Amino acid sequence: MDAKEQKPESYTYAKAGVSIETGNALVRAIAPLAKSTRRAGADADLGGFGGFFDLKAAGFNDPLLVAANDGVGTKLKLAIESGRHEGVGIDLVAMCANDLIVQGAEPLFFLDYYATGKLDNAVATSVVASIAEGCKQAGCALIGGETAEMPGMYSEGDYDLAGFCVGAVERDQVLTADKVAAGDVILGLASSGVHSNGFSLVRRLAADKGWKLDRPAIFDQNVILIDALMAPTRIYVKSLLPMVRTGKIHAMAHITGGGLLENIPRILPDGLHAHVDANAWQQP
């Protein structure tokens, strides 16, 4: 072989900016977090190609499965800019689990998708820890997920989150608009803040009006604004599930992006209208 000849350059994942070892280290770090979410029907061991769930072990007789998926939206941008990742996983679970409970379904298991340009295991572990906490609050098991390291797809430090939750409800306990009748009383449960909705507007307001995130909130002098904005979404499952099973609740709406005006009509039968007095509770 001529001395001037060189071997063709070998290509590896590492040279392309993807670290298999970093990913494996993350899986090792989050395995105990997933295990802490075990519940009847799921033993939450990670590592297979998919997660199993045993509906019979969960105590269901004639169940319908209900599925929901969602993300956290641009609240993630605030989390990244402020270094506050410890609540966004709760937001992720909440946006899915709350969609299930309003249909009468008990959330059973959850899978997450975490995508970034370059894995930062400290950040990723913090996020998955908060997903596990959200799963515990919702009573569902974290039975799997996907971590994607995709150089060139995301700016430095950025990541995105998506979640997928499956619940079950006995066939005769499904909540739909058909049970709602004239004269029914509307009850509202308080939120823990902005939840995970409208943060593109929140961030635009903060920029245009010069809000200082590290100062007391203009609507509550006892709370720093960033703390108020990053407060995790309330998960309503454990407060509602026992009531749902009594059969006294006719229907429920999860108030997300479209607010009261768009979400309440989704559970009203034709010809019925909801009357809501916004002066009936204290406005921030």
Side-chain angles (χ1 to χ4, degrees), residues 102-103 175-180 184-185 187 248-253 266-269:
V102 296
Q103 295 173 95
L175 293 183
T176 54
D178 61 346
K179 295 186 180 75
V180 179
D184 280 358
V185 174
L187 301 173
K248 293 176 182 174
I249 295 177
H250 290 173
M252 289 190 283
R266 293 164 72 175
I267 52 147
L268 293 177

Side-chain angles (χ1 to χ4, degrees), residues 23 27 48 54-55 73 81 88 90 94 142 174 182 200 213 228 246 259:
V27 172
D54 185 342
L55 274 171
E81 289 169 354
V88 293
I90 298 173
L142 179 59
V174 177
S200 295
L213 296 177
T246 66

Side-chain angles (χ1 to χ4, degrees), residues 5-268:
E5 285 185 45
Q6 293 183 337
K7 287 184 180 178
E9 182 187 356
S10 64
Y11 282 83
T12 64
Y13 259 145
K15 281 184 180 176
V18 178
S19 172
I20 298 295
E21 180 45 46
T22 304
N24 289 338
L26 178 61
V27 172
R28 289 192 295 271
I30 64 179
L33 297 170
K35 203 167 276 190
S36 72
T37 67
R38 280 181 166 164
R39 54 149 294 153
D43 58 13
D45 278 332
L46 298 183
F49 290 97
F52 287 93
F53 192 90
D54 185 342
L55 274 171
K56 195 166 280 188
F60 287 90
N61 297 311
D62 183 25
L64 293 175
L65 292 179
V66 190
N69 70 316
D70 213 330
V72 180
T74 59
K75 187 174 186 177
L76 278 183
K77 197 68 180 165
L78 266 188
I80 291 162
E81 289 169 354
S82 60
R84 293 167 180 253
H85 311 282
E86 60 279 356
V88 293
I90 298 173
D91 289 313
L92 183 68
V93 176
M95 298 312 286
C96 298
N98 287 341
D99 273 352
L100 297 183
I101 186 61
V102 296
Q103 295 173 95
E106 175 189 352
L108 300 176
F109 60 85
F110 191 88
L111 297 100
D112 68 287
Y113 175 78
Y114 179 101
T116 186
K118 183 174 175 57
L119 262 180
D120 179 329
N121 273 3
V123 171
T125 302
S126 177
V127 170
V128 177
S130 72
I131 293 172
E133 172 57 29
C135 285
K136 284 190 253 188
Q137 290 182 22
C140 61
L142 179 59
I143 66 169
E146 169 72 2
T147 304
E149 192 174 30
M150 299 190 285
M153 282 288 286
Y154 297 90
S155 300
E156 187 176 349
D158 280 354
Y159 63 87
D160 199 8
L161 273 182
F164 179 87
C165 196
V166 172
V169 55
E170 296 291 0
R171 195 177 300 269
D172 59 356
Q173 293 176 8
V174 177
L175 293 183
T176 54
D178 61 346
K179 295 186 180 75
V180 179
D184 280 358
V185 174
I186 299 173
L187 301 173
L189 297 186
S191 73
S192 53
V194 193
H195 283 186
S196 295
N197 295 288
F199 270 85
S200 295
L201 176 57
V202 168
R203 289 168 50 245
R204 179 65 183 266
L205 281 168
D208 288 358
K209 295 186 177 292
W211 290 350
K212 305 294 184 194
L213 296 177
D214 58 352
R215 305 271 177 84
I218 52 176
F219 49 83
D220 187 347
Q221 292 295 299
N222 296 316
V223 181
I224 301 300
L225 180 56
I226 188 66
D227 292 340
L229 295 178
M230 294 308 299
T233 303
R234 185 175 169 194
I235 295 176
Y236 298 92
V237 174
K238 290 182 179 176
S239 58
L240 286 173
L241 197 55
M243 280 300 296
V244 168
R245 287 179 172 161
T246 66
K248 293 176 182 174
I249 295 177
H250 290 173
M252 289 190 283
H254 180 201
I255 309 304
T256 52
L260 297 167
L261 294 178
E262 287 190 16
N263 287 291
I264 293 177
R266 293 164 72 175
I267 52 147
L268 293 177

